mmCIF file of all heavy atoms in Angstrom:
data_model
loop_
_atom_site.group_PDB
_atom_site.id
_atom_site.type_symbol
_atom_site.label_atom_id
_atom_site.label_comp_id
_atom_site.label_asym_id
_atom_site.label_seq_id
_atom_site.Cartn_x
_atom_site.Cartn_y
_atom_site.Cartn_z
ATOM 1 N N ASP B 413 8.326 -46.052 3.366
ATOM 2 C CA ASP B 413 9.114 -45.197 2.446
ATOM 3 C C ASP B 413 8.934 -43.725 2.803
ATOM 4 O O ASP B 413 9.895 -42.951 2.859
ATOM 5 C CB ASP B 413 8.615 -45.376 1.004
ATOM 6 C CG ASP B 413 9.199 -46.614 0.355
ATOM 7 O OD1 ASP B 413 10.142 -47.166 0.944
ATOM 8 O OD2 ASP B 413 8.691 -47.010 -0.715
ATOM 9 N N VAL B 414 7.668 -43.366 3.023
ATOM 10 C CA VAL B 414 7.354 -41.964 3.314
ATOM 11 C C VAL B 414 8.040 -41.531 4.607
ATOM 12 O O VAL B 414 8.648 -40.453 4.687
ATOM 13 C CB VAL B 414 5.814 -41.747 3.407
ATOM 14 C CG1 VAL B 414 5.486 -40.349 3.893
ATOM 15 C CG2 VAL B 414 5.163 -41.992 2.056
ATOM 16 N N ALA B 415 7.978 -42.406 5.628
ATOM 17 C CA ALA B 415 8.589 -42.069 6.924
ATOM 18 C C ALA B 415 10.101 -41.912 6.786
ATOM 19 O O ALA B 415 10.683 -40.953 7.307
ATOM 20 C CB ALA B 415 8.244 -43.139 7.945
ATOM 21 N N VAL B 416 10.723 -42.848 6.070
ATOM 22 C CA VAL B 416 12.185 -42.773 5.915
ATOM 23 C C VAL B 416 12.582 -41.509 5.155
ATOM 24 O O VAL B 416 13.502 -40.779 5.551
ATOM 25 C CB VAL B 416 12.706 -44.048 5.186
ATOM 26 C CG1 VAL B 416 14.153 -43.878 4.757
ATOM 27 C CG2 VAL B 416 12.566 -45.266 6.089
ATOM 28 N N ARG B 417 11.868 -41.224 4.067
ATOM 29 C CA ARG B 417 12.174 -40.007 3.294
ATOM 30 C C ARG B 417 11.973 -38.763 4.161
ATOM 31 O O ARG B 417 12.750 -37.806 4.084
ATOM 32 C CB ARG B 417 11.278 -39.928 2.056
ATOM 33 C CG ARG B 417 11.761 -40.806 0.922
ATOM 34 C CD ARG B 417 10.704 -40.945 -0.161
ATOM 35 N NE ARG B 417 11.150 -41.851 -1.185
ATOM 36 C CZ ARG B 417 11.592 -41.483 -2.392
ATOM 37 N NH1 ARG B 417 11.624 -40.209 -2.705
ATOM 38 N NH2 ARG B 417 11.991 -42.365 -3.269
ATOM 39 N N LEU B 418 10.917 -38.774 4.946
ATOM 40 C CA LEU B 418 10.650 -37.603 5.804
ATOM 41 C C LEU B 418 11.791 -37.416 6.807
ATOM 42 O O LEU B 418 12.264 -36.286 7.009
ATOM 43 C CB LEU B 418 9.313 -37.786 6.541
ATOM 44 C CG LEU B 418 8.954 -36.700 7.560
ATOM 45 C CD1 LEU B 418 8.905 -35.325 6.911
ATOM 46 C CD2 LEU B 418 7.602 -36.983 8.208
ATOM 47 N N ILE B 419 12.262 -38.507 7.399
ATOM 48 C CA ILE B 419 13.348 -38.395 8.385
ATOM 49 C C ILE B 419 14.606 -37.847 7.715
ATOM 50 O O ILE B 419 15.236 -36.900 8.209
ATOM 51 C CB ILE B 419 13.621 -39.766 9.055
ATOM 52 C CG1 ILE B 419 12.432 -40.143 9.946
ATOM 53 C CG2 ILE B 419 14.908 -39.734 9.875
ATOM 54 C CD1 ILE B 419 12.423 -41.574 10.414
ATOM 55 N N ILE B 420 14.955 -38.407 6.558
ATOM 56 C CA ILE B 420 16.193 -37.976 5.877
ATOM 57 C C ILE B 420 16.099 -36.502 5.475
ATOM 58 O O ILE B 420 17.001 -35.697 5.765
ATOM 59 C CB ILE B 420 16.466 -38.871 4.638
ATOM 60 C CG1 ILE B 420 16.806 -40.282 5.087
ATOM 61 C CG2 ILE B 420 17.605 -38.291 3.793
ATOM 62 C CD1 ILE B 420 16.856 -41.307 3.972
ATOM 63 N N ILE B 421 14.985 -36.128 4.845
ATOM 64 C CA ILE B 421 14.856 -34.741 4.376
ATOM 65 C C ILE B 421 14.746 -33.772 5.561
ATOM 66 O O ILE B 421 15.281 -32.665 5.525
ATOM 67 C CB ILE B 421 13.656 -34.587 3.410
ATOM 68 C CG1 ILE B 421 13.870 -35.463 2.174
ATOM 69 C CG2 ILE B 421 13.494 -33.135 2.954
ATOM 70 C CD1 ILE B 421 12.730 -35.472 1.198
ATOM 71 N N SER B 422 14.090 -34.220 6.629
ATOM 72 C CA SER B 422 13.959 -33.351 7.807
ATOM 73 C C SER B 422 15.323 -33.082 8.428
ATOM 74 O O SER B 422 15.618 -31.957 8.842
ATOM 75 C CB SER B 422 13.047 -33.985 8.854
ATOM 76 O OG SER B 422 11.742 -34.043 8.372
ATOM 77 N N VAL B 423 16.146 -34.138 8.516
ATOM 78 C CA VAL B 423 17.492 -33.955 9.096
ATOM 79 C C VAL B 423 18.300 -32.973 8.231
ATOM 80 O O VAL B 423 18.921 -32.039 8.743
ATOM 81 C CB VAL B 423 18.223 -35.322 9.221
ATOM 82 C CG1 VAL B 423 19.703 -35.118 9.548
ATOM 83 C CG2 VAL B 423 17.552 -36.176 10.291
ATOM 84 N N LEU B 424 18.230 -33.165 6.917
ATOM 85 C CA LEU B 424 18.937 -32.256 5.995
ATOM 86 C C LEU B 424 18.425 -30.828 6.157
ATOM 87 O O LEU B 424 19.196 -29.861 6.224
ATOM 88 C CB LEU B 424 18.698 -32.697 4.549
ATOM 89 C CG LEU B 424 19.667 -33.719 3.975
ATOM 90 C CD1 LEU B 424 19.217 -34.118 2.577
ATOM 91 C CD2 LEU B 424 21.076 -33.135 3.922
ATOM 92 N N PHE B 425 17.110 -30.701 6.226
ATOM 93 C CA PHE B 425 16.474 -29.389 6.346
ATOM 94 C C PHE B 425 16.894 -28.719 7.650
ATOM 95 O O PHE B 425 17.190 -27.519 7.697
ATOM 96 C CB PHE B 425 14.952 -29.581 6.293
ATOM 97 C CG PHE B 425 14.150 -28.308 6.194
ATOM 98 C CD1 PHE B 425 14.571 -27.247 5.419
ATOM 99 C CD2 PHE B 425 12.949 -28.179 6.885
ATOM 100 C CE1 PHE B 425 13.826 -26.073 5.334
ATOM 101 C CE2 PHE B 425 12.192 -27.019 6.809
ATOM 102 C CZ PHE B 425 12.643 -25.968 6.031
ATOM 103 N N PHE B 426 16.964 -29.530 8.727
ATOM 104 C CA PHE B 426 17.362 -28.968 10.015
ATOM 105 C C PHE B 426 18.803 -28.465 9.963
ATOM 106 O O PHE B 426 19.103 -27.372 10.444
ATOM 107 C CB PHE B 426 17.207 -30.023 11.126
ATOM 108 C CG PHE B 426 17.559 -29.480 12.483
ATOM 109 C CD1 PHE B 426 16.635 -28.746 13.207
ATOM 110 C CD2 PHE B 426 18.834 -29.666 13.016
ATOM 111 C CE1 PHE B 426 16.965 -28.210 14.446
ATOM 112 C CE2 PHE B 426 19.169 -29.120 14.250
ATOM 113 C CZ PHE B 426 18.232 -28.403 14.962
#
Side-chain angles (χ1 to χ4, degrees):
Chain B
D413 278 348
V414 172
V416 168
R417 280 167 184 256
L418 175 58
I419 291 167
I420 292 170
I421 298 176
S422 293
V423 168
L424 272 176
F425 189 39
F426 182 82

